[in-house]
Amino acid sequence: MDPKGALFQVPLFRELPAEDLRTLAGVARVRRLSKGEPLFLEGDPVTHLYAVLKGLIKVYKLDPEGRKQVVLHLEGPYRVLAEVALFLERPTYPASAEALEESQVLAIPKEVFFGLLETSPPLARALLRYLARRQGQLLHLLDRLVFHEVGERLAEYLLARLEAEGQGFTLPTNPELAALLGTVPEAVSRNLGRLYREGLIRLSGRRVEIPDPQALRGRIRE
């Protein structure tokens, strides 16, 4: 896919006039990542806004000793990364990001993005809406962590991935999934096994299919 076509698939850029899309596409560069390859590290200078084209990117922080990872979120195709970091007073990435599988991202230089933001009201409005949705997602996640059981959080996560990527999406490892859900790997394994035995999910390695999404949704309390 050409950069302009790829940018149009990213919700943040869909409302941009064709001329603005051409401007971004002209400077954006595709970056290919192998599984486990870092996109950026915590403390690196912020240089680009990234849009995922293919694969899955993990955003995480390390504990002060540099041993334990806390997974903050995963981003799949047509989601953006580092949009908040662009506006921090200290222009360094506050977390690290790496590919969980072979991935491609579109890198947009921050200076070009800022220049377009100052002259394009559609982009400014789209960015505000995007950041508001992000805030809502964080509040929703906090609600789920406090008030819902691991099995419910897992079901909701699986349904969200299904909606975003379709059948056959690939799960992260159990430790990474546990970090996302605020639990331990053993609880993830136990709940995945239960959903599999009950026929609510199909597993082939780490690839997942959900034969009856409504049945899985019935596991989630409102």
Side-chain angles (χ1 to χ4, degrees):
M1 183 180 293
D2 67 282
K4 182 181 175 183
L7 285 168
F8 185 75
Q9 298 297 319
V10 178
L12 180 60
F13 301 122
R14 280 179 187 162
E15 297 179 22
L16 287 187
E19 183 179 349
D20 291 343
L21 278 176
R22 283 194 295 270
T23 297
L24 288 178
V27 297
R29 295 293 179 265
V30 175
R31 181 171 170 185
R32 292 170 173 82
L33 301 170
S34 302
K35 181 179 179 180
E37 184 176 351
L39 176 61
F40 52 79
L41 296 175
E42 182 176 354
D44 284 351
V46 177
T47 57
H48 292 81
L49 174 71
Y50 297 100
V52 183
L53 302 181
K54 176 184 176 184
L56 193 63
I57 305 295
K58 172 180 68 175
V59 180
Y60 67 93
K61 288 184 71 72
L62 293 172
D63 69 8
E65 286 74 35
R67 294 193 298 267
K68 184 179 179 181
Q69 280 191 11
V70 176
V71 180
L72 302 176
H73 51 97
L74 304 179
E75 300 297 349
Y78 309 121
R79 301 292 296 272
V80 296
L81 293 163
E83 73 283 357
V84 175
L86 291 173
F87 298 94
L88 294 178
E89 184 177 353
R90 183 184 178 202
T92 60
Y93 293 110
S96 301
E98 72 175 45
L100 286 179
E101 57 191 63
E102 286 192 9
S103 302
Q104 294 180 16
V105 299
L106 202 60
I108 301 168
K110 70 174 185 179
E111 292 83 3
V112 176
F113 181 76
F114 279 151
L116 189 57
L117 190 62
E118 291 177 356
T119 60
S120 174
L123 179 58
R125 289 193 297 267
L127 180 62
L128 287 173
R129 285 195 296 270
Y130 185 86
L131 293 175
R133 284 196 300 271
R134 279 286 206 193
Q135 180 74 8
Q137 289 166 357
L138 289 173
L139 291 173
H140 180 75
L141 176 60
L142 179 61
D143 174 79
R144 287 327 197 200
L145 288 173
V146 173
F147 298 112
H148 287 246
E149 299 295 332
V150 173
E152 293 177 90
R153 301 202 297 270
L154 176 60
E156 190 169 55
Y157 170 81
L158 294 173
L159 289 167
R161 290 287 303 278
L162 175 67
E163 181 179 354
E165 302 172 46
Q167 298 284 6
F169 59 87
T170 302
L171 283 179
T173 65
N174 283 359
E176 290 163 344
L177 194 47
L180 277 172
L181 299 177
T183 185
V184 295
E186 293 77 12
V188 169
S189 179
R190 186 166 57 250
N191 280 277
L192 279 174
R194 182 179 298 122
L195 295 177
Y196 174 77
R197 290 190 298 273
E198 294 177 3
L200 293 172
I201 62 172
R202 296 179 185 140
L203 290 171
S204 177
R206 302 299 293 181
R207 295 183 68 82
V208 180
E209 292 186 355
I210 302 173
D212 187 349
Q214 281 303 114
L216 183 59
R217 196 173 301 280
R219 292 297 185 89
I220 304 170
R221 293 175 297 165
E222 296 299 327

